[in-house]
């Protein structure tokens, strides 16, 4: 009798566990295309200012400058928020000057590199690590 109850409990717990794991969004985990998904969530399409590379694990973003068209920084911020960039990364980007050269920061699962010039705007390269 105890064997039957144990077997039934195992089946129930197994089914519940499988259902829970099936509903998890795994796109941002274990090398999934989190950056490509973030761009889509922010309404950005692959084009000259938005380039998806490396099967969705690299995202290049270009903001507008005085001599170049591109994204608004708010659109870059949206992507950073979706992928969980810490506030200090966003603040570092916003305070970058042309004289600062290429900058980089890392956080759990991601790396950002960027540079800024008033004429060409900000060039941001996000990479899922």
């Amino acid at each position: 009798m105890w064997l039957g109850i144990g077997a039934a409990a195992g089946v129930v717990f197994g089914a519940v566990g499988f259902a829970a794991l099936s509903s998890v969004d795994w796109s941002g985990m274990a090398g999934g295309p989190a950056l490509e998904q973030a761009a889509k969530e922010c309404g950005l399409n692959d084009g000259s200012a938005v380039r998806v590379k490396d099967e969705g694990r690299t995202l290049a973003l270009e903001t507008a400058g005085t001599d170049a068209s591109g994204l608004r920084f708010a659109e870059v911020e949206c992507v950073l928020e979706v992928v969980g960039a810490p506030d200090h990364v966003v603040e570092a980007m916003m305070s970058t000057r042309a004289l600062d050269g290429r900058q980089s920061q890392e956080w759990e699962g991601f790396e950002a590199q960027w540079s800024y010039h008033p004429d060409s705007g900000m060039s941001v390269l996000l990479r899922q690590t």
Side-chain angles (χ1 to χ4, degrees):
M1 177 170 126
W2 291 110
L3 182 61
I5 292 172
V11 169
V12 170
F13 285 121
V16 169
F18 178 77
L21 290 174
S22 296
S23 67
V24 173
D25 178 11
W26 296 99
S27 64
M29 301 175 191
L35 290 169
E36 183 176 26
Q37 184 61 35
K40 287 180 184 176
E41 285 184 34
C42 294
L44 306 179
N45 297 315
D46 205 0
S48 61
V50 179
R51 294 178 312 282
V52 177
K53 305 282 186 179
D54 299 327
E55 298 174 0
R57 293 189 322 240
T58 301
L59 182 63
L61 304 170
E62 303 290 334
T63 67
T66 56
D67 295 340
S69 61
L71 302 171
R72 293 174 293 125
F73 189 75
E75 293 170 307
V76 174
E77 278 185 294
C78 178
V79 172
L80 293 169
E81 183 177 320
V82 170
V83 298
D87 291 339
H88 74 270
V89 172
V90 176
E91 291 299 321
M93 286 183 176
M94 289 175 46
S95 64
T96 300
R97 304 167 305 154
L99 295 173
D100 295 334
R102 192 130 184 100
Q103 303 289 305
S104 66
Q105 291 278 335
E106 292 183 26
W107 66 96
E108 187 176 336
F110 296 94
E111 175 187 31
Q113 296 179 8
W114 69 93
S115 61
Y116 171 77
H117 191 278
D119 295 340
S120 57
M122 182 174 286
S123 175
V124 179
L125 183 66
L126 300 173
R127 188 173 66 88
Q128 191 170 343
T129 57

